[in-house]
Amino acid sequence: MALKVLRILIPIAFISKPSNAQTITQECTNRKNVCIGPGPTYRPLPGCENYVQCGFNNNVAVEHRCQSGTIFDETLTKCNWDTVSRCNVKACPRTLTPTESPTENPTSPPSTMPTGHPSVTPSQTPSVAPTTSSPTMAYDFFRLLEFEDFQRNMESLVFLSYTASGTVYPSKMYTLSGMINSLKDMALIGISYDDPRDGSQKFFKFYLGYEEKNLAYGQANLAAFLANAMVESIAKDTCDELNSDDMAGRFAVSNSCGQNGRSYQDEFCIIAEEAKMSCPVDVNMETTAVSNEGRGPPPFTCRPKTGDNDYAGFWDERSKTTEFSAYSNAMGRLDIEGCCWWGRGVLSTRGTCNIGKLNYYLGKSAYERRGESRFPGIDFCSDPAAICTEALTSEELRWITGMFEWTERIQSYSRDGWTYLNQLKDFVDDGMKDDS
């Protein structure tokens, strides 16, 4: 399924032409015309230090000013460091009527120069300081995402969910706009990490192919990511992993400990330098998945055992009931103690190692080590459910955690001479042929 989606997305969705409606541009920009025509809600004014929020009927609703050292970034559609932002807005020349023409030359220059920066506090600030400038081609990549043909194809092919009975509907948990905004963060800014304790440096960016000046590589990478996301979460419109591993219609409740022969709580980081990143297993932790959208087995849950005969049991597909008997999952687990590490987010990030890395690079652990992080208030190890519970009001968290896992675990994969990025490039260069 993933390869089928990959082959559909690249030729149809990415290699699209802009419609006539998208070619409407202003020769110059001022406050009167900045909101005219299709485009994002937030748009820059000439000079790029100020930007507006467009409202109804092409009118300016609110005007904002970026803080000192930042300007409006047209691709991120928010303030960003001036050294890496892309903003090219042509000011309209002022037209003077005869009565407005000056009658005499000014007699002297201003007596003083400005003494400081504007005092207005910006409404948005960069979340992570970028370490390198983003090449022009990276911005061009996102121009493709603005094409109406692209958006129409994506919404009709990718961002669709299915009820248990097979009814199709647009995903509520995952949207095209949410994906694009998160991708801008992960591809143009990324996650940088300098550990002050041991001097180690890491930098994670979603690969777009601009290093080789071939955006088709980046398009294939994004398509592969989305194909996996469709299987893991979008098609089921869920943030939490669903109970899907059954035997003759019986679904072990202890599948929360691991499905398909896996034991999530035992999946620690095995590389020596990464061992410290694994989350410790707290046998007293209790949590329940947010929802399973009425898809049969109850949502995953974990809790400490109350005794030797405290069996998690199974859910029976025929009777639609749970029987609390000694029924194990594929790994022999009868209870659900310490089994809180099931998949969450767009890629169903699971296991004590992968969730631990979220905390180490993006969460509270990163903040405690270096004084800043992407989600400083979230301890993914003590509260792995935060990926979904916090995400009830933040689609970004569902996307960012998955994109981080993709950059950290998939893009960097190399073993026995097989490297993901090299294989990706070969696949594109060979005409995206299926060799299976």
Side-chain angles (χ1 to χ4, degrees):
M1 178 177 180
L3 182 56
K4 180 179 179 181
V5 174
L6 176 63
R7 297 180 68 186
I8 290 174
L9 288 179
I10 295 177
I12 295 180
F14 287 104
I15 308 178
S16 301
K17 300 299 181 183
S19 64
N20 291 334
Q22 291 171 295
T23 59
I24 299 175
T25 59
Q26 304 292 340
E27 293 184 359
C28 63
T29 301
N30 55 32
R31 204 176 188 281
K32 293 182 179 180
N33 67 15
V34 64
C35 287
I36 295 176
T41 301
Y42 296 96
R43 308 183 188 186
L45 291 169
C48 302
E49 294 179 349
N50 289 14
Y51 64 99
V52 301
Q53 179 180 348
C54 296
F56 295 105
N57 300 320
N58 298 325
N59 292 322
V60 172
V62 184
E63 182 172 338
H64 304 277
R65 184 177 181 85
C66 295
Q67 72 174 14
S68 175
T70 69
I71 61 174
F72 189 86
D73 190 316
E74 289 186 273
T75 301
L76 295 178
T77 61
K78 64 181 181 181
C79 297
N80 193 12
W81 303 112
D82 55 9
T83 56
V84 297
S85 294
R86 176 168 178 165
C87 186
N88 184 20
V89 181
K90 182 180 179 182
C92 295
R94 183 182 178 187
T95 303
L96 299 177
T97 61
T99 59
E100 293 177 314
S101 302
T103 57
E104 59 183 24
N105 293 326
T107 57
S108 63
S111 58
T112 60
M113 294 295 290
T115 58
H117 298 293
S119 58
V120 180
T121 302
S123 59
Q124 301 183 46
T125 58
S127 56
V128 180
T131 58
T132 58
S133 60
S134 299
T136 300
M137 288 192 71
Y139 290 94
D140 292 340
F141 183 96
F142 287 97
R143 297 300 183 193
L144 297 174
L145 309 192
E146 298 175 1
F147 293 167
E148 289 181 358
D149 289 346
F150 164 83
Q151 296 188 357
R152 182 167 50 250
N153 284 318
M154 291 290 283
E155 290 173 347
S156 64
L157 293 171
V158 177
F159 293 91
L160 295 178
S161 301
Y162 302 82
T163 64
S165 61
T167 302
V168 184
Y169 65 96
S171 175
K172 301 173 185 176
M173 301 281 286
Y174 304 97
T175 65
L176 176 60
S177 61
M179 184 276 289
I180 292 175
N181 290 335
S182 298
L183 183 63
K184 286 178 179 179
D185 272 357
M186 284 301 296
L188 299 182
I189 299 177
I191 302 295
S192 61
Y193 185 88
D194 299 318
D195 195 330
R197 298 187 182 184
D198 57 17
S200 61
Q201 295 181 332
K202 293 281 187 178
F203 195 62
F204 304 97
K205 265 192 174 184
F206 198 97
Y207 176 71
L208 296 184
Y210 58 74
E211 294 89 346
E212 293 84 5
K213 298 183 178 180
N214 190 338
L215 294 185
Y217 295 155
Q219 293 160 1
N221 187 44
L222 177 59
F225 167 80
L226 289 174
N228 279 271
M230 290 172 67
V231 173
E232 293 288 354
S233 60
I234 298 176
K236 293 165 284 193
D237 206 19
T238 180
C239 180
D240 287 282
E241 180 181 352
L242 301 181
N243 191 335
S244 60
D245 195 1
D246 72 306
M247 178 66 71
R250 291 184 173 185
F251 296 78
V253 175
S254 58
N255 279 340
S256 61
C257 301
Q259 301 195 89
N260 304 309
R262 296 175 63 176
S263 178
Y264 302 149
Q265 72 185 94
D266 296 318
E267 294 182 353
F268 298 106
C269 301
I270 58 176
I271 299 176
E273 59 267 25
E274 295 181 348
K276 59 186 176 183
M277 302 179 190
S278 298
C279 290
V281 176
D282 180 2
V283 296
N284 294 313
M285 185 183 295
E286 295 186 52
T287 188
T288 299
V290 175
S291 172
N292 68 340
E293 294 293 326
R295 296 176 182 272
F300 278 151
T301 187
C302 64
R303 58 173 173 78
K305 290 192 298 184
T306 58
D308 292 339
N309 296 324
D310 183 7
Y311 302 125
F314 66 89
W315 183 84
D316 188 87
E317 189 173 27
R318 288 165 294 185
S319 65
K320 310 298 183 185
T321 59
T322 300
E323 181 178 327
F324 297 98
S325 61
Y327 189 87
S328 72
N329 69 354
M331 295 297 288
R333 286 298 297 266
L334 298 172
D335 62 287
I336 51 176
E337 184 175 87
C339 297
C340 308
W341 309 100
W342 61 81
R344 298 174 175 92
V346 71
L347 282 193
S348 284
T349 301
R350 50 175 72 86
T352 53
C353 178
N354 289 328
I355 295 177
K357 287 181 178 180
L358 292 180
N359 203 44
Y360 191 86
Y361 290 115
L362 277 70
K364 186 177 180 180
S365 176
Y367 180 76
E368 291 175 344
R369 288 171 173 269
R370 62 193 292 243
E372 64 175 343
S373 75
R374 191 66 179 78
F375 303 107
I378 300 179
D379 188 332
F380 293 100
C381 284
S382 65
D383 185 18
I387 298 173
C388 295
T389 55
E390 293 286 339
L392 286 175
T393 55
S394 175
E395 182 183 356
E396 175 192 44
L397 184 53
R398 295 191 287 270
W399 283 108
I400 291 291
T401 51
M403 289 179 179
F404 172 80
E405 181 183 0
W406 187 264
T407 61
E408 190 275 332
R409 192 168 67 86
I410 306 300
Q411 285 184 187
S412 63
Y413 184 85
S414 180
R415 185 175 182 180
D416 298 330
W418 196 100
T419 302
Y420 168 78
L421 285 180
N422 288 341
Q423 293 294 320
L424 177 80
K425 296 169 188 176
D426 290 344
F427 172 73
V428 173
D429 293 341
D430 196 37
M432 295 174 287
K433 297 176 183 178
D434 183 1
D435 58 359
S436 61

